[in-house]
Amino acid sequence: MSLQTVEAARAALLEGVGPSGAEAVGLDEADGRWLAEPVVATRDQPPFDASAMDGWAVRTADLGEEPLRIVGESAAGAGFAGSLGPGETVRIFTGAPLPVGADRVVIQEEARAAGDDLTVLAPADAPAWVRRRGADYGAGQVLLEPGARLNPWRIALAASAGVGSVRCARRPRVAVLAGGAEVVAAGQAAGALQIFDAAGPGVSQVARRAGAVVTPLPLVGDRLEEIRAALETAEVDLIVVIGGASVGDHDRVKPAARELGARMRVEGIAMRPGKPLWAAILPDGRRILGLPGNPVSALVCGELFLKPLLAAMQGGVALPETETMPLAEALPANGPREHWMRAARVVGPDGRGAVRALPDQDSAMLTVLSGADGLIRRAANAPQVGAGEDVEILPLG
Ligand SMILES: Nc1nc2c(c(=O)[nH]1)N[C@H]1C(S)=C(S)[C@@H](COP(=O)(O)OP(=O)(O)OC[C@H]3O[C@@H](n4cnc5c(N)ncnc54)[C@H](O)[C@@H]3O)O[C@H]1N2
Ligand code: MOO
């Protein structure tokens, strides 16, 4: 089996993947969703020239001609009915419309009112304290493009434009299929030679966070017919299979997929952990992503492959983005597989942030993964790296 590089495998996995359908989503439910259609402003924001401060609306031409005559008030949501004539001023509050005729606001700390008279104390170079109509955006402007992922600040932007619901890509339906003769569900009784399904619940959660509607399927054993039936009947867009992918006599998942006519896109990658990763497409268009059974391998592959795939299925892009950090402790040269090492952030000797690879990199050790803040990326055949030298780290969480 020749192993693909991580990049080549990801490219093969994502080839031709796109969203299938869109739906209206209320803003309260839209966090993390990918837009299918643009959000367009139907009016200017602000919709009128507005005061940025509490104070007095004045005409620049009148400054130096005090006292000004106080002729009324402009409050937010109400405004001032008339227009401001020469020598006049209007009491104004933050967010209130600037009266016709006024062109600036003097903040109340820089003015003195006595009866109907106002004396301006503001320096000549004081700001105008006016937010011009359309300063944030104008009517017809595209505020958010298709493919943008909604977050709290983008939701606030859509709401500012009066948009109550947005068109988002449909959530992919994902079935998670774990199993093996030795695997039982957490919460059930386990025999002495059995282990609990850890990868299934972890991977399901990765998929949910990436926007999928997840159906965990009942655990399957090692029998080919059983696995084949589970693959055949899952009414989803993507089946994520955990385990049974390697070279052992009981690894029957790929043969079952092949019997159903699956076309293999990825079959083995030069990555540690994650070597047995595979991906295929069934004749009816459903996709299969096969993750290694070792739970740390499955979850690391979840970060590097499942998340980008689910983003692409929603019209978005979410490639793993590494940061650069100095190493706290030296690392030896790497072998021929790209290595994603479980790592923790620490305070370096100079008091700044650094990162250290955790001592046990066994892909069955969930205590290590759960204590990791990130994954250090070591390229295939990378030479040794000394303490203080920079490495790439993918933050987790
Ligand atoms: N001779 C070789 N043996 C193995 C190779 C190899 O290249 N040659 N590759 C190793 C690597 S790397 C990995 S990773 C594993 C993955 O194999 P599979 O994907 O076939 O996974 P299984 O054999 O089914 O299980 C591996 C391991 O993980 C446990 N497991 C399985 N499912 C779960 C689950 N849902 N939750 C928790 N733990 C699970 C299972 O009991 C095994 O201990 O193969 C190596 N072998
Ligand atoms: O790739 Mo395996 O995932 O090294 O343990």
Side-chain angles (χ1 to χ4, degrees):
M1 177 167 75
S2 78
L3 301 174
Q4 268 176 308
T5 63
V6 172
E7 274 73 24
R10 196 183 294 116
L13 178 71
L14 299 184
E15 195 193 314
V17 177
S20 57
E23 61 190 10
V25 180
L27 288 189
D28 283 349
E29 304 296 321
D31 191 25
R33 300 288 299 267
W34 275 273
L35 277 182
E37 292 175 17
V39 173
V40 182
T42 54
R43 60 181 206 158
D44 297 337
Q45 177 62 23
F48 47 82
D49 291 346
S51 176
M53 299 294 250
D54 298 322
W56 302 92
V58 301
R59 295 152 34 104
T60 303
D62 289 344
L63 297 181
E65 306 288 325
E66 294 91 25
L68 304 176
R69 197 155 38 82
I70 302 169
V71 295
E73 178 183 291
S74 176
F80 176 67
S83 66
L84 204 67
E88 293 179 340
T89 183
V90 157
R91 181 80 170 116
I92 196 164
F93 300 99
T94 306
L98 197 69
V100 176
D103 61 1
R104 64 168 47 237
V105 170
V106 173
I107 62 170
Q108 63 194 50
E109 295 88 332
E110 294 178 344
R112 196 172 52 234
D116 286 344
D117 287 348
L118 183 80
T119 306
V120 174
L121 310 170
D125 61 352
W129 299 119
V130 175
R131 295 199 177 107
R132 291 288 166 204
R133 174 179 182 155
D136 198 358
Y137 52 80
Q141 190 173 325
V142 174
L143 302 177
L144 296 168
E145 301 274 1
R149 192 173 195 188
L150 289 160
N151 58 26
W153 22 111
R154 290 173 178 166
I155 287 171
L157 175 61
S160 78
V163 172
S165 74
V166 285
R167 300 280 301 168
C168 294
R170 183 172 69 71
R171 287 179 182 278
R173 292 162 305 159
V174 172
V176 174
L177 181 63
E182 76 283 26
V183 181
V184 294
Q188 305 293 307
L193 302 184
Q194 290 185 306
I195 58 157
F196 292 110
D197 172 22
V203 166
S204 294
Q205 212 47 46
V206 170
R208 285 192 191 99
R209 283 192 175 188
V213 177
V214 176
T215 309
L217 297 178
L219 294 169
V220 284
D222 288 336
R223 283 181 39 249
L224 192 135
E225 301 72 35
E226 195 186 356
I227 297 167
R228 185 188 143 137
L231 294 177
E232 206 163 16
T233 53
E235 287 180 19
V236 291
D237 305 299
L238 170 69
I239 308 168
V240 180
V241 186
I242 297 166
S246 191
V247 293
D249 295 346
H250 301 284
D251 294 334
R252 301 261 161 70
V253 185
K254 283 192 283 181
R258 279 207 178 85
E259 280 193 11
L260 293 172
R263 275 177 293 125
M264 290 290 163
R265 281 250 178 125
V266 178
E267 224 178 329
I269 56 172
M271 180 170 128
R272 191 178 155 211
K275 183 167 130 188
L277 182 108
W278 61 284
I281 304 181
L282 289 165
D284 58 14
R286 289 177 302 148
R287 291 169 190 279
I288 305 179
L289 177 63
L291 304 179
N294 278 320
V296 174
S297 312
L299 288 161
V300 170
C301 288
E303 295 299 304
L304 298 180
F305 295 96
L306 179 57
K307 279 166 116 171
L309 176 60
L310 289 172
M313 291 172 83
Q314 294 166 85
V317 177
L319 297 176
E321 284 184 22
T322 53
E323 298 166 6
T324 300
M325 276 191 98
L327 258 187
E329 289 166 19
L331 282 174
N334 189 27
R337 284 195 276 156
E338 183 170 311
H339 194 180
W340 289 80
M341 308 181 78
R342 278 63 78 201
R345 288 168 189 261
V346 292
V347 180
D350 56 359
R352 291 191 301 170
V355 67
R356 164 178 94 84
L358 294 168
D360 197 330
Q361 295 291 326
D362 185 316
S363 60
M365 301 285 279
L366 280 170
T367 49
V368 178
L369 180 64
S370 78
D373 314 304
L375 299 170
I376 293 176
R377 176 182 177 274
R378 300 279 283 129
N381 303 310
Q384 75 153 87
V385 217
E389 288 184 56
D390 281 345
V391 285
E392 278 180 77
I393 175 162
L394 178 72
L396 284 178

